[in-house]
Amino acid sequence: MTDLNERLKGIDRLTPPDLWEAAQIKAEGGLTSPSTPSLTRRLAIIAASLAIGLAAVGLVMIAFRSDPSASRPVTPGRHAVENGDIWVKVGGGDGETAIYRVDPQSVRNPEAMWTDSGGTFGDTPVAPELLADDYAFSPDGSQVAFSAQEDQGSGEVPRELFVMNADGTGLRRLTSDRAYAGFPDWSPDGDTIAYASYRGTNYVPGCLGSSICPTDLYVIDVTGGTPSLLVAGDVSETTPSWSPDGSSIAFAEIGEDGVGAIVTTRADGSGRVELAPTGAVSFPSWSPDGTQILFLKMQDGTNHLWTVNPDGSGHHDLADTRTDTNFGRPLWSPEGDYIAFARPYAGVVSLWIIDPAGDRSPERIAGWPGFAGSPIAWRPIPAETMPSASDVTALVSSSGPSGDTALLTGTLTAENGCLAVSTVYVVWPAGYSLSEEKAGIWLVDDSGTLVARIGDEVQMGGGITNLAHAEPEVVGGIPSSCEVGSPDAYWFAGTPEAVIGSLVANGAADMEATRLPGIDAYRVCRVLALPGDFGDAGDEVVVFEEERVPGAGCIGSEGFQHVAVLRDGRVTSLSRRITDFDIKAWRVWPYATPDLDGDGEDEIAVALSDGGEDRRVWFFMLAPGGGGVEAVYDPQQPFTHVIGGDAAPLPRGIYCDGEGKARRIVTWVATGAGKLDVIETRWRLETFRVVFDSETTVHIEKRGYPDAGDVELCGSPVSLRRAYPSA
Amino acid sequence: MADLTDAVERTYRAQAERLWHALVLFCGDREVASDAVSEAFAQAIARGSGIEDVHRWVWRSAFNIARGELKRRGRQTSGVPDLPAEVPIETVDLVRALAKLSPKQRASIVLHHYAGYSTKEIAGIIGSTSGAVGMHLDRGRRRLRDLLGDDDD
């Protein structure tokens, strides 16, 4: 690899285009929608490393504990949500209007969903009935409530509440207050909507906030029906916001002079508490974690974002919107990790986000030259469907390689309230790849609470083919004080240091390791294949790498490789150092075979491959009682599957290429003396047809074979039929 | 704003060529590389303020954008790099082999062996730790050796 640098430098022969002008145009063209890596939700993971020494061997245990401030217990079946799109209304007044959605995590441009003007917004559907105000998403993000004029031509111009599906279908009217209904907010259980309503006859557009048409707060069932009065007073009560536990409601009380207060009450309207500071305050919004109330406050001529604790303490000036225009309610992200708001930038009303602690400067997400755009709602999207606890138990169980289902293996204890998640491996069959989204791989504890999922850092790990190493992203609460768990054993394969043995939760975030007798004499630096079941006798095969240079680990040097057979937690057979084969990455196909070499003992053949497109296979023959590798065979053929035949007297294999087509049949036999002979060359040429589902896809050439039958080949049932030469 | 744009432009003049080459190695696709470079610099300009280290920010953003674009396009594509004849065949083979590495291994190899960044600097760019970058480099090199069948060591 000495010329790697030089080979890479060959790319310098290419002349890059001048992209500066393009960058400037993109930056100034308005519709910039930067990818915001900082938005990528990454909950802090504290990786605690603890060296556990046995003899002179250092073993590193890695455990994860969620950052308490970021801990967000998630219960399946409830509204576990993630941040979705931000909806923005562009235009308005007498001009053309459209509703855009902005994906704050994508480099995609904002997309117009509906408009009232065909042509201006390209192919955007013209749907003026969906262009409204005061959008509010249901807790699961599937529906949206809004306030709109049903009949713009009438003299009374009443505004009513409507509900539709988030894709614009299923529009239905919710209220018939015949004056004004606005600022809906869904209760956390999704059953009720609180809103502001004026029901008198003095309603004219613009009268809101004055004594002419003071609003009161009502609640109404999302299925409709008769609204119930929640709070009424002499001034306008408006812009209600539910606390996330549904017990309280925050709202603004605004007098005719625009001065008022942020107020909370219990969900039945009782227990009024006025929060400081008062003044020209508006648009309270309860944070998703319930710890803060966000609102706008006019001071020194501009609107500022403020937060205050629900008990009225700890008010905090978060950011200046730099405008006296009130663009409406600033939005919490559904996960509570960001706040979106509108602020002018170079004369353009732009969408900005800021972290709720205000530790960083606001980031500009997008802007619309020539339009007044403001965020109207941030859509929650349901978290990925979580499996039941029983599903996860199956996933977590350490299983052997192969099979058609991805298996999760690694270390997880969840007992006595003690949970420790450590390195997790995902095993999936050859020919498959794990989707980058890794949907459906979750860890859920016994109570069904989501505790971790595979993060987006899945990598090929440990040099193991089809074995991905992932650091779990801890998303749930892991108790910081753990009781000592029962001594259940979990196989663990780490890198660069590794242990083969049992792990027991020890009450802290790490786990105690006990290495397996028989292997503990080796400096194991890499586990190349996790223990995999085979045979009926409870045997398992594990492949590991021994440090070649003491203290160097496996990094930067090739280790010595070993194959071991285990039964009942004991090593029953262990190979000598395998030095003749440079086996990079591994998958194990173990075969329990009868006495192959006639020495009176059964042997075990293990096929190992290096995966990728250059798959090769080696067969190691081990006697269960010990004695190490008896024979090795390297057929030097690429393959994806090896089908072990149990049709005595001889084992046989079929190689399949990367497209699942059989290439050829090889049989082999042990001759003793540490060798395997391939016996196909001794047989006469005949032709068999391989039939996949009645469709002939490939011919297998094979030198004579006494019988044929139904086998599974390359993952598909196959009938082997003798096809006699026509001539 | 003018100062910041000046700073971004200075960074562009100093870094864009090397960044673009590194991205071509990373993606095997000149179009993706060009998009990522222009988008990263556009975002740096549009960001207005708050970027302390434009150089590092742009490298990180560009690799992020390129990775996102590859993900969006799907990595099932051939792995045959879009490279013209002036690129030496050994380099084309290497880019083809790089395409078979995980994104982090690939980025680590390119950023270290081409762009000359340290593992710590790479960790900042790809969002990892220097220890993990060391591992990506080790595994990436082993895999490349495997794929290319190197006989030079």
Side-chain angles (χ1 to χ4, degrees):
Chain A
M1 202 64 51
T2 52
D3 67 346
L4 179 55
N5 295 19
E6 287 307 310
R7 283 172 110 169
L8 288 165
K9 287 209 183 309
I11 205 70
D12 290 344
R13 302 269 184 92
L14 285 180
T15 305
D18 189 347
L19 300 162
W20 177 244
E21 194 178 344
Q24 285 181 305
I25 291 169
K26 279 187 180 182
E28 293 166 7
L31 288 178
T32 63
S33 172
S35 70
T36 53
S38 59
L39 248 188
T40 303
R41 184 170 56 89
R42 294 193 183 286
L43 299 180
I45 295 174
I46 300 169
S49 298
L50 176 68
I52 299 174
L54 275 176
V57 181
L59 308 171
V60 177
M61 302 280 87
I62 302 172
F64 302 89
R65 188 180 284 158
S66 63
D67 177 354
S69 66
S71 178
R72 189 169 56 91
V74 179
T75 305
R78 301 280 295 174
H79 299 296
V81 294
E82 297 177 352
N83 297 340
D85 298 328
I86 302 173
W87 287 19
V88 178
K89 189 174 180 182
V90 173
D94 296 332
E96 297 137 343
T97 309
I99 301 291
Y100 274 86
R101 62 177 164 214
V102 182
D103 177 355
Q105 297 197 49
S106 164
V107 296
R108 281 185 292 120
N109 283 336
E111 176 190 351
M113 291 188 290
W114 308 294
T115 177
D116 58 0
S117 173
T120 305
F121 296 94
D123 298 329
T124 303
V126 177
E129 71 278 12
L130 305 183
L131 308 185
D133 296 291
D134 313 342
Y135 285 79
F137 282 107
S138 61
D140 66 358
S142 66
Q143 297 182 85
V144 60
F146 58 89
S147 169
Q149 293 175 334
E150 187 180 37
D151 179 6
Q152 298 191 33
S154 78
E156 292 184 342
V157 287
R159 295 184 75 94
E160 303 287 2
L161 294 188
F162 295 80
V163 174
M164 66 178 174
N165 297 326
D167 62 1
T169 63
L171 181 65
R172 63 190 168 88
R173 177 168 158 165
L174 193 62
T175 62
S176 299
D177 291 356
R178 300 303 302 161
Y180 171 83
F183 301 114
D185 191 50
W186 298 68
S187 63
D189 62 9
D191 294 338
T192 310
I193 287 175
Y195 68 104
S197 175
Y198 168 71
R199 303 178 144 210
T201 56
N202 292 331
Y203 177 74
V204 291
C207 78
L208 288 178
S210 74
S211 59
I212 302 172
C213 54
T215 53
D216 299 319
L217 298 186
Y218 287 79
V219 290
I220 187 170
D221 195 281
V222 294
T223 58
T226 305
S228 309
L229 181 65
L230 183 70
V231 178
D234 296 334
V235 296
S236 285
E237 291 82 20
T238 186
T239 58
S241 172
W242 292 84
S243 66
D245 64 1
S247 67
S248 305
I249 290 176
F251 57 94
E253 269 185 5
I254 299 175
E256 191 163 8
D257 55 0
V259 174
I262 304 299
V263 172
T264 64
T265 67
R266 286 191 281 272
D268 61 2
S270 67
R272 180 181 184 282
V273 176
E274 188 176 302
L275 307 183
T278 56
V281 292
S282 59
F283 290 110
S285 183
W286 221 301
S287 66
D289 67 1
T291 61
Q292 290 179 298
I293 293 171
L294 171 73
F295 60 98
L296 284 176
K297 181 178 190 297
M298 178 79 90
Q299 62 187 59
D300 303 328
T302 57
N303 278 297
H304 288 237
L305 301 180
W306 279 70
T307 56
V308 63
N309 298 333
D311 64 1
S313 67
H315 41 87
H316 174 56
D317 184 354
L318 187 63
D320 183 358
T321 68
R322 298 180 183 171
T323 175
D324 59 357
T325 304
N326 189 323
F327 286 113
R329 177 174 270 167
L331 306 172
W332 286 98
S333 67
E335 295 179 40
D337 51 353
Y338 288 90
I339 291 165
F341 65 102
R343 180 161 99 176
Y345 174 77
V348 173
V349 178
S350 299
L351 176 62
W352 297 71
I353 58 169
I354 189 171
D355 69 292
D359 292 337
R360 294 191 300 275
S361 300
E363 292 180 44
R364 180 171 172 262
I365 295 292
W368 287 263
F371 291 100
S374 61
I376 51 177
W378 197 327
R379 186 181 179 190
I381 53 174
E384 292 172 60
T385 306
M386 287 171 282
S388 68
S390 59
D391 290 338
V392 172
T393 300
L395 279 173
V396 170
S397 63
S398 174
S399 302
S402 190
D404 288 327
T405 307
L407 301 170
L408 195 63
T409 184
T411 62
L412 175 73
T413 59
E415 295 175 38
N416 305 326
C418 172
L419 180 70
V421 182
S422 190
T423 304
V424 173
Y425 289 85
V426 183
V427 184
W428 70 95
Y432 292 75
S433 62
L434 203 58
S435 78
E436 293 214 36
E437 286 72 29
K438 294 164 289 297
I441 298 177
W442 298 86
L443 301 181
V444 178
D445 70 12
D446 291 341
S447 69
T449 301
L450 174 68
V451 295
R453 68 173 183 183
I454 303 300
D456 58 3
E457 302 303 316
V458 168
Q459 306 151 8
M460 298 299 287
I464 303 172
T465 299
N466 301 327
L467 190 59
H469 161 220
E471 294 178 347
E473 177 186 13
V474 178
V475 297
I478 292 183
S480 55
S481 62
C482 291
E483 295 176 28
V484 176
S486 63
D488 284 342
Y490 293 86
W491 296 108
F492 177 81
T495 182
E497 290 80 21
V499 60
I500 298 170
S502 61
L503 293 165
V504 180
N506 66 358
D510 50 75
M511 284 182 281
E512 303 285 354
T514 304
R515 298 197 305 162
L516 196 66
I519 296 180
D520 58 357
Y522 296 94
R523 297 168 182 270
V524 180
C525 57
R526 185 174 285 158
V527 180
L528 297 161
L530 292 166
D533 298 332
F534 74 101
D536 298 327
D539 288 314
E540 293 179 288
V541 172
V542 61
V543 184
F544 64 92
E545 195 163 321
E546 174 197 0
E547 204 174 60
R548 186 181 291 249
V549 179
C554 292
I555 304 287
S557 71
E558 303 287 344
F560 298 118
Q561 293 152 352
H562 297 263
V563 177
V565 178
L566 319 173
R567 183 182 295 175
D568 298 329
R570 290 184 305 107
V571 176
T572 57
S573 183
L574 179 64
S575 77
R576 292 181 293 271
R577 288 171 174 172
I578 301 166
T579 55
D580 299 336
F581 296 86
D582 183 17
I583 301 173
K584 302 286 195 309
W586 302 71
R587 193 173 174 216
V588 176
W589 287 268
Y591 305 96
T593 57
D595 181 12
L596 292 173
D597 53 5
D599 65 358
E601 281 199 62
D602 289 350
E603 286 89 14
I604 295 164
V606 182
L608 303 171
S609 87
D610 65 351
E613 294 183 5
D614 304 318
R615 291 184 175 90
R616 294 163 67 189
V617 61
W618 293 262
F619 298 101
F620 296 81
M621 314 268 303
L622 295 103
V629 178
E630 296 196 348
V632 178
Y633 169 54
D634 176 6
Q636 310 213 349
Q637 289 293 325
F639 74 100
T640 58
H641 291 64
V642 172
I643 310 301
D646 55 3
L650 298 174
R652 62 175 185 258
I654 298 172
Y655 298 130
C656 304
D657 67 14
E659 295 172 351
K661 293 180 180 174
R663 279 278 172 81
R664 64 179 194 150
I665 292 177
V666 174
T667 61
W668 62 90
V669 63
T671 61
K675 284 190 180 294
L676 284 173
D677 275 358
V678 181
I679 57 174
E680 61 169 339
T681 52
R682 289 197 261 124
W683 294 14
R684 295 192 313 275
L685 178 65
E686 290 184 356
T687 302
F688 285 83
R689 296 177 65 199
V690 179
V691 181
F692 288 88
D693 297 326
S694 303
E695 184 185 350
T696 300
T697 58
V698 68
H699 291 268
I700 298 178
E701 290 186 350
K702 185 175 177 301
R703 295 176 189 276
Y705 196 70
D707 55 13
D710 294 335
V711 296
E712 187 177 282
L713 177 59
C714 305
S716 301
V718 170
S719 295
L720 284 180
R721 294 175 191 159
R722 186 183 293 268
Y724 294 96
S726 56
Chain B
M1 180 66 193
D3 287 349
L4 179 93
T5 305
D6 288 349
V8 175
E9 182 168 8
R10 277 198 302 277
T11 306
Y12 179 87
R13 298 300 166 205
Q15 297 292 325
E17 194 165 316
R18 198 163 61 107
L19 173 59
W20 186 82
H21 281 134
L23 287 164
V24 173
L25 291 168
F26 177 70
C27 341
D29 187 315
R30 287 173 292 171
E31 189 188 337
V32 174
S34 297
D35 278 354
V37 170
S38 60
E39 183 68 32
F41 278 97
Q43 288 180 22
I45 297 167
R47 202 49 70 117
S49 62
I51 302 177
E52 287 177 9
D53 182 343
V54 177
H55 171 164
R56 196 175 133 184
W57 191 94
V58 165
W59 275 80
R60 190 173 62 225
S61 292
F63 268 80
N64 239 339
I65 292 164
R67 189 180 169 188
E69 180 61 18
L70 291 178
K71 189 172 171 181
R72 194 182 67 76
R73 292 184 177 194
R75 289 294 305 167
Q76 285 74 26
T77 47
S78 63
V80 178
D82 152 46
L83 297 175
E86 59 256 41
V87 179
I89 188 66
E90 305 82 53
T91 305
V92 175
D93 286 345
L94 179 56
V95 174
R96 187 179 290 133
L98 279 168
K100 292 174 182 165
L101 270 53
S102 76
K104 292 216 167 176
Q105 286 173 1
R106 191 163 65 242
S108 298
I109 293 276
V110 169
L111 289 167
H112 185 70
H113 289 281
Y114 175 76
Y117 286 109
S118 68
T119 54
K120 190 177 171 190
E121 290 166 326
I122 295 168
I125 292 171
I126 67 173
S128 188
T129 63
S130 57
V133 169
M135 220 137 56
H136 296 320
L137 283 171
D138 177 56
R139 291 182 192 151
R141 283 190 291 252
R142 286 162 64 111
R143 180 90 176 109
L144 283 179
R145 198 161 48 210
D146 227 13
L147 290 163
L148 295 167
D150 266 13
D151 52 7
D152 60 348
D153 55 8

